[in-house]
Amino acid sequence: MKFEQDETVLYRLMLAKIRSIINVDGRSCYLLDSLESDHCQYQVPVENRMDHLQKLPMQKITRNAIARSCKSVLEQNDIVAWLSLLKTMHADKMSAEASGRKLPESEKHFYDLTLQRISIILAAGMHQSTADSTQRLFDVLDESVRPAC
């Protein structure tokens, strides 16, 4: 799996965006900009990508069983699955708002719950307020679900 420039990825437990692929001492490396800390960058050798980088995939939600689908993800202790679920529901929310609709209450409940859990974890890990971590998540989510032009 190869990652592309401007792709949002999970680097260990940190959200980052791939700025570019650079050459460092004869090795190709991804240059990542942290989406959680200002002015923080990482260099990850391309050959190490499978150990350190993960895509944030969309999570499949069974539309006629939203509660069961979301609960099964949230019962796991897997932050990548939680982020994936949040990304999926954020895309649904943006789509609904763009067409003048509201997110169904059942999905909104799990969206809010997932957002709150991840914001709290992020705030604790980054030593920042939950409001700041929530805003960072919104920024990343908006960027990650925006259609490519």
Side-chain angles (χ1 to χ4, degrees):
M1 170 186 342
K2 184 175 176 174
F3 298 98
E4 303 295 326
Q5 184 174 338
D6 293 327
E7 190 169 359
T8 300
V9 295
L10 189 65
Y11 171 58
R12 299 184 187 254
L13 290 178
M14 306 289 278
L15 290 169
K17 186 176 219 173
I18 297 175
R19 175 185 287 213
S20 62
I21 300 174
I22 59 173
N23 194 322
V24 178
D25 298 328
R27 295 170 67 186
S28 291
C29 294
Y30 293 108
L31 180 60
L32 308 177
D33 290 324
S34 173
L35 295 172
E36 299 177 18
S37 299
D38 293 334
H39 312 294
C40 185
Q41 290 184 331
Y42 313 102
Q43 289 180 8
V44 178
V46 169
E47 65 265 16
N48 293 352
R49 70 186 178 275
M50 299 309 284
D51 295 330
H52 301 293
L53 297 177
Q54 297 180 47
K55 284 190 177 219
L56 291 181
M58 299 294 269
Q59 186 75 31
K60 182 168 174 39
I61 298 175
T62 306
R63 296 293 163 203
N64 59 354
I66 289 173
R68 186 175 47 227
S69 294
C70 294
K71 281 181 182 178
S72 70
V73 172
L74 293 174
E75 287 172 349
Q76 304 171 35
N77 290 324
D78 183 350
I79 196 163
V80 174
W82 292 3
L83 286 166
S84 175
L85 177 64
L86 184 61
K87 179 180 176 182
T88 301
M89 290 187 292
H90 192 75
D92 291 350
K93 180 178 181 266
M94 289 181 69
S95 175
E97 288 172 354
S99 64
R101 297 179 290 114
K102 289 186 175 184
L103 197 62
E105 281 302 315
S106 56
E107 191 169 346
K108 183 180 181 326
H109 167 74
F110 287 103
Y111 175 83
D112 292 341
L113 178 65
T114 307
L115 179 65
Q116 179 183 26
R117 283 185 180 179
I118 294 172
S119 294
I120 290 168
I121 292 168
L122 182 59
M126 299 300 298
H127 306 288
Q128 64 186 126
S129 72
T130 302
D132 287 345
S133 66
T134 300
Q135 186 56 54
R136 286 181 185 267
L137 277 172
F138 281 141
D139 294 344
V140 171
L141 288 165
D142 286 346
E143 183 67 29
S144 72
V145 299
R146 184 175 299 130
C149 296

